Amino acid sequence: PTLSALTISRNSIGNLGLQALATSLRSCPHLTELRADFNDIGPALPPEIEELFGLKTLGMRGNKLETFPIHLLKTIDTVDIDDNAPALRSFLEASLERAEDGARKIANRKEAVALLDKGWDLWKDLDMPKAQAALEAAKQKLQDSEGGRGELAEIVRDAADLEQAIRTRREALGPGFVRIKDPEQVMVGESIEGAVHKIENGKAHISLFGQGVSDAGVTSISNALRGNGTVTFLDLESCNVGPAGARELARALEGNTRLETLVLARNKLGDAGARALAHALESNTTLAKLDVSRNNI
């Protein structure tokens, strides 16, 4: 069939007639215009109309419609539904308001995800105040957001994980941590001597993130870890640790029964350092989390 436009206005086909007509028109792939004004159609539009996917113009003026599929207002270029039942206006206003509210909540969900991503980046960069601010902004957006139940649950879990990570890293860095923004300078948080001192004095969280610890410094820290019963978290990310330092840490792990998390990301462990750590894990019974990403392994 080549029919592209059909006008059947000012008859009395009613809903049953329009339903039958729409069913037959599905065999007209070129149909873009349907006008059925003043035909006693209502209170709802037959769902078969929604299956005429090629429509660009739909005329339903002067009928008895009290409801109308909102999505058709977006997919059909020209829709004429004037002079229908008074209830139709209220229905459309309420539906459009719900649609706008849903769109706003979806936008809030997307903004929350972006804020959490920013928070994680700031956490990695040791900017805890800004990471906390991003987290709080994300939590505010999540209070008024919309999405699938599983999707929202995943975002909420991510927010909880970031909150815990910020709390843990703040405790690990300590109140005296100073973050230098110049990337050419070494970030100052705890000196190697200070870290050793904390290990010896029963601190549970130690972080030397981004400092020039190197293999020599790791040797001092590893010596303090051997037999230590208090340290559960050690962060040596971006500390210029090589294979020799990894071997020292491996020896410490063999005699340590308390450390649960060891972060060695962004160092220079190589295959030799990874093998040493793998060998130590065969006898270590407490280490639960090990991060050796970006180590040329």
Side-chain angles (χ1 to χ4, degrees):
T2 59
L3 185 69
S4 62
L6 173 62
T7 300
I8 194 171
S9 300
R10 295 189 180 276
N11 288 287
S12 301
I13 64 173
N15 277 43
L16 289 177
L18 184 59
Q19 180 180 10
L21 177 64
T23 299
S24 65
L25 288 175
R26 283 186 295 187
S27 63
C28 299
H30 302 292
L31 185 72
T32 60
E33 180 178 344
L34 174 62
R35 295 189 177 276
D37 305 317
F38 301 98
N39 264 294
D40 294 325
I41 298 166
L45 196 69
E48 287 76 10
I49 289 292
E50 301 178 41
E51 298 176 13
L52 301 178
F53 302 113
L55 281 182
K56 300 298 181 183
T57 300
L58 177 62
M60 287 289 158
R61 176 187 287 266
N63 283 294
K64 300 176 181 179
L65 294 174
E66 297 179 5
T67 65
F68 192 83
I70 294 298
H71 68 274
L72 292 184
L73 297 176
K74 300 178 180 179
T75 58
I76 298 178
D77 295 342
T78 303
V79 177
D80 185 356
I81 50 176
D82 287 346
D83 300 326
N84 273 274
L88 179 60
R89 182 181 182 88
S90 299
F91 170 82
L92 291 175
E93 290 176 348
S95 297
L96 290 172
E97 184 177 346
R98 286 195 298 271
E100 290 175 359
D101 184 59
R104 177 179 54 79
K105 290 182 177 180
I106 290 173
N108 281 346
R109 183 201 71 212
K110 292 180 179 179
E111 289 182 36
V113 171
L115 285 165
L116 288 173
D117 288 342
K118 179 181 179 181
W120 280 112
D121 288 340
L122 291 165
W123 176 84
K124 292 175 183 177
D125 200 28
L126 295 186
D127 197 335
M128 295 302 105
K130 289 184 179 179
Q132 185 69 42
L135 171 64
E136 295 304 323
K139 289 165 66 176
Q140 187 66 36
K141 292 291 183 182
L142 281 174
Q143 289 181 1
D144 189 21
S145 62
E146 187 173 275
R149 181 177 299 177
E151 183 179 22
L152 278 179
E154 183 177 349
I155 298 171
V156 170
R157 283 195 298 271
D158 190 35
D161 289 345
L162 177 57
E163 188 167 27
Q164 179 60 43
I166 291 173
R167 185 183 303 114
T168 300
R169 182 152 284 182
R170 271 183 160 165
E171 181 181 347
L173 294 174
F177 178 77
V178 178
R179 178 178 176 275
I180 298 176
K181 296 182 179 179
D182 184 352
E184 297 301 320
Q185 299 186 55
V186 176
M187 292 183 179
V188 179
E190 301 169 333
S191 66
I192 296 170
E193 293 79 11
V196 171
H197 180 73
K198 285 190 173 185
I199 292 172
E200 293 173 343
N201 284 274
K203 295 295 183 181
H205 291 73
I206 307 295
S207 176
L208 285 159
F209 180 102
Q211 300 189 56
V213 175
S214 73
D215 291 341
V218 167
T219 299
S220 299
I221 294 170
S222 300
N223 290 336
L225 277 176
R226 289 192 180 94
N228 178 271
T230 57
V231 177
T232 60
F233 177 96
L234 176 60
D235 187 353
L236 293 171
E237 181 173 346
S238 301
C239 281
N240 198 31
V241 180
R247 285 191 288 269
E248 291 296 328
L249 284 170
R251 281 192 280 269
L253 287 175
E254 291 173 357
N256 183 281
T257 58
R258 182 60 175 164
L259 189 66
E260 299 173 356
T261 300
L262 176 59
V263 181
L264 285 167
R266 298 175 186 271
N267 282 293
K268 303 175 182 178
L269 304 185
D271 293 343
R275 281 194 294 269
L277 291 171
H279 180 73
L281 291 178
E282 294 176 1
S283 58
N284 182 281
T285 59
T286 57
L287 191 69
K289 296 180 180 180
L290 174 64
D291 185 352
V292 291
S293 54
R294 300 195 180 191
N295 265 285
N296 297 320
I297 298 173

